[in-house]
Amino acid sequence: EAQGEGHRIPLHVRPEQADTIGQAVAVLAGGCFWGMEAIFERLSGVNSVTSGYAGGTAATATYAQVSTETTRHAEAIRIIYDPRRIS
């Protein structure tokens, strides 16, 4: 993935969107998706972390546009994890 770009992450994620059976999905929004990603990808039980944007529209979900703070996006991460190993 090119630096400065992310994926559009829906605010509501259904449990069946996890990659495999027995995993769960969480979406968190915060000040910086790369900072959040760096923390969560190191935790035992977390299988993947995807940086992106929640809210706004897909047409304005680029790092440059979101940085203007006018697109109604939040930087967010989608975490796929094993709830038997981490809550």
Side-chain angles (χ1 to χ4, degrees):
E1 174 174 313
Q3 185 173 357
E5 297 304 316
H7 302 279
R8 187 161 189 282
I9 298 174
L11 290 175
H12 303 286
V13 178
R14 295 180 305 278
E16 63 270 17
Q17 289 177 291
D19 291 336
T20 60
I21 294 175
Q23 294 185 349
V25 177
V27 174
L28 304 175
C32 171
F33 52 51
W34 288 311
M36 293 186 299
E37 180 180 47
I39 292 168
F40 281 94
E41 68 187 5
R42 291 186 173 104
L43 298 177
S44 179
V46 171
N47 298 313
S48 71
V49 182
T50 303
S51 293
Y53 306 104
T57 67
T60 58
T62 67
Y63 190 78
Q65 288 180 310
V66 172
S67 295
T68 68
E69 298 182 8
T70 61
T71 65
R72 301 179 59 104
H73 286 90
E75 291 191 24
I77 57 173
R78 181 184 66 184
I79 305 165
I80 297 178
Y81 65 98
D82 183 343
R84 296 165 295 188
R85 297 180 59 208
I86 188 169
S87 61

